[in-house]
Amino acid sequence: MTTAQAGGSAKDEWDRLSEHVAQTQAIVGGSWEPVDSSARACGDGGAQWAITRLGRGTSLTERPALVEQIEREWKKYGWELNRTAIGGDAPGVRLRFPAGGSDERRFFIDIGFTVHGTTIEAQTPCAPGNVDQLNAEQYAYKHSPGIDTTPTPTN
């Protein structure tokens, strides 16, 4: 069953996709900065999140093995990936599903590798959920595998 076909509540979709993203982060390694969105409205009574994670750069020598490993992992989820080159001053490689835009449920996932950083961008499928309630309870923030949500003490 692919993420696009999985279905469920907005919480289910967050849990599923954030776990896939956390597994991808573990493959690349290093520390990651989460820059995720709050829940936002989509469709008729639906909710979704955008996930953005910023990680370490990858060298030209290590990148091919990482890309291959992530391709194998992501294909297990039924994602037919598009691999493209990143041009410019910091050339690299990008994997994306679907090739452009989003699928019929408004889902996409993308990872880009350069020597300066690795960026994962994804959007959960649109699924039933109350945006105000999800944001009030900080669901995504409190249910992010691999992200420390312990408050920093202040003096």
Side-chain angles (χ1 to χ4, degrees):
M1 178 180 300
T2 68
T3 297
Q5 299 167 335
S9 71
K11 288 180 178 181
D12 293 337
E13 296 296 352
W14 169 264
D15 292 343
R16 187 177 3 266
L17 184 56
S18 63
E19 184 60 39
H20 293 333
V21 169
Q23 290 168 355
T24 302
Q25 290 172 225
I27 291 169
V28 176
S31 61
W32 290 82
E33 179 71 27
V35 191
D36 304 336
S37 74
S38 298
R40 57 188 183 204
C42 61
D44 185 22
Q48 68 183 160
W49 287 272
I51 295 175
T52 302
R53 304 290 164 80
L54 308 173
R56 69 179 183 84
T58 57
S59 70
L60 290 173
T61 56
E62 72 177 319
R63 195 174 302 144
L66 288 172
V67 170
E68 291 293 328
Q69 188 175 356
I70 290 168
E71 277 184 321
R72 282 191 306 274
E73 187 68 24
W74 285 11
K75 285 181 179 181
K76 290 178 189 177
Y77 310 132
W79 303 339
E80 293 300 320
L81 301 172
N82 181 11
R83 186 193 291 203
T84 57
I86 297 172
D89 293 340
V93 65
R94 169 169 279 115
L95 297 175
R96 183 175 173 84
F97 173 80
S102 58
D103 69 9
E104 67 279 355
R105 294 192 58 219
R106 302 180 187 174
F107 165 76
F108 74 84
I109 189 163
D110 177 292
I111 186 168
F113 300 91
T114 72
V115 294
H116 299 295
T118 300
T119 303
I120 302 171
E121 296 178 285
Q123 180 171 274
T124 64
C126 186
N130 181 300
V131 171
D132 293 334
Q133 179 183 356
L134 293 166
N135 288 332
E137 68 181 91
Q138 297 182 332
Y139 186 81
Y141 177 73
K142 292 178 180 176
H143 296 86
S144 294
I147 305 296
D148 182 10
T149 59
T150 306
T152 304
T154 58
N155 293 334

